[in-house]
Amino acid sequence: MNRARPAVAAPITVAGLALVAACGTNPYATSGAVQPVVLGAQQQPASAVPAGSAAQLISSTVDGLGPVLADAEGHTLYRYAKDTAKPSKATCAGPCAMTWPPLVSDVPVLAAGVDSALVGLVTRPDGRKQVTVAGWPVYRYAKDTGPGIALGRAAGADWAAMAPTGEKAGTEPPTLGTTEIDGLGPVLTDTGGRTLYLFTKDGKDSGKSTCDAACARKWPPLEADGRTTVADGIDAGLVGRIRRPDGTSQVTVGGWPVYRYASDDEPGVATGHGAGGTWYALEPNGCKADPARRPAVQQALATSPGGY
């Protein structure tokens, strides 16, 4: 995952590649409540939840790792580097699955401290349905003897304890990241990988948000609580904050207040782009995503003395 670093409202000198602020020059353009999730109870070796009873995904803590994803008994859960998240695919089978039992499901499960929108299912090679978080198939480690234990983190480079966000545990995701979306190219994302947006009625560099009340419920502002961190390749100097009418702080990028879209039900989608002719996904340089501009930018970068 991308290494993060702090960003503040004032310009910051950033080492390495940084995106320029000018639009069209983007080098990339080329909760604690228990929530019901329609999944199922886990089927695992001896310590499994009895068939037909509701399993749980919970947020737990392991010394040296911080927050981790765990099952109902508190056993640490893991992800496998040889699997894939987009699309979800489980590759640990046979002897591998004896050491790393998959979390499979057949009746409704509860998620506490885990965003239910991140939880899904994937069909395993043996036909069973395996729980996924942020697209990653979820496993236990057979040698973990009880809650709060994560011996699997030392079992090999391909295995990592899973954080409640689906990321590798022990690494804090940046406040601002990037992802590639079909038809749009690279866009800014929050810590959960959700697309971020600008609202043209706010006005660039206006220093204020005009989306409040019912609007803010549909388009939740990205709050600036504490420090704001950015992934490599994002210019920290573009990041700032404003004070909202309700007294909270909101992140800005390139002078635009930043929002999520409540109807985006998973990472990697941007269903709010173009809504009302006023809402647009944000490029990493702080400009609204504009696919029509990308070919010209790609050509300009490809023919420049430095190339890409």
Side-chain angles (χ1 to χ4, degrees), residues 67-145:
V68 300
L69 191 67
D71 66 10
E73 290 80 34
H75 294 102
T76 302
L77 298 173
Y78 298 84
R79 51 183 271 181
Y80 185 35
K82 293 183 180 180
D83 289 345
T84 60
K86 294 183 180 180
S88 296
K89 182 179 180 180
T91 61
C92 177
C96 175
M98 297 298 293
T99 303
W100 300 92
L103 188 65
V104 297
S105 57
D106 57 13
V107 299
V109 68
L110 297 176
V114 182
D115 185 351
S116 60
L118 296 177
V119 183
L121 291 172
V122 65
T123 302
R124 291 183 46 75
D126 61 9
R128 293 183 297 166
K129 300 291 186 181
Q130 183 171 357
V131 177
T132 63
V133 175
W136 289 99
V138 177
Y139 302 84
R140 276 185 53 186
Y141 184 46
K143 295 182 180 180
D144 282 349
T145 56

Side-chain angles (χ1 to χ4, degrees), residues 13-239:
T13 301
V14 182
L17 175 65
L19 299 180
V20 295
C23 294
T25 57
N26 182 357
Y28 279 116
T30 19
S31 57
V34 176
Q35 308 166 28
V37 185
V38 183
L39 297 178
Q42 48 192 326
Q43 299 171 351
Q44 296 183 6
S47 61
V49 171
S53 62
Q56 290 188 31
L57 292 175
I58 65 173
S59 177
S60 184
T61 302
V62 172
D63 289 344
L65 286 178
V68 300
L69 191 67
D71 66 10
E73 290 80 34
H75 294 102
T76 302
L77 298 173
Y78 298 84
R79 51 183 271 181
Y80 185 35
K82 293 183 180 180
D83 289 345
T84 60
K86 294 183 180 180
S88 296
K89 182 179 180 180
T91 61
C92 177
C96 175
M98 297 298 293
T99 303
W100 300 92
L103 188 65
V104 297
S105 57
D106 57 13
V107 299
V109 68
L110 297 176
V114 182
D115 185 351
S116 60
L118 296 177
V119 183
L121 291 172
V122 65
T123 302
R124 291 183 46 75
D126 61 9
R128 293 183 297 166
K129 300 291 186 181
Q130 183 171 357
V131 177
T132 63
V133 175
W136 289 99
V138 177
Y139 302 84
R140 276 185 53 186
Y141 184 46
K143 295 182 180 180
D144 282 349
T145 56
I149 296 174
L151 300 178
R153 59 179 158 175
D158 289 334
W159 291 94
M162 182 180 282
T165 59
E167 302 286 345
K168 295 179 181 179
T171 55
E172 184 68 22
T175 308
L176 297 174
T178 63
T179 193
E180 187 86 14
I181 294 183
D182 290 345
L184 289 181
V187 300
L188 284 176
T189 58
D190 66 7
T191 56
R194 305 300 179 91
T195 301
L196 296 174
Y197 298 85
L198 62 80
F199 184 36
T200 57
K201 290 185 178 181
D202 285 345
K204 179 180 171 67
D205 295 322
S206 68
K208 64 180 181 180
S209 166
T210 60
C211 179
D212 203 5
C215 174
R217 289 191 290 273
K218 187 174 183 179
W219 299 91
L222 183 64
E223 295 184 359
D225 288 333
R227 65 175 186 169
T228 299
T229 57
V230 301
D232 285 343
I234 300 173
D235 184 353
L238 297 177
V239 181

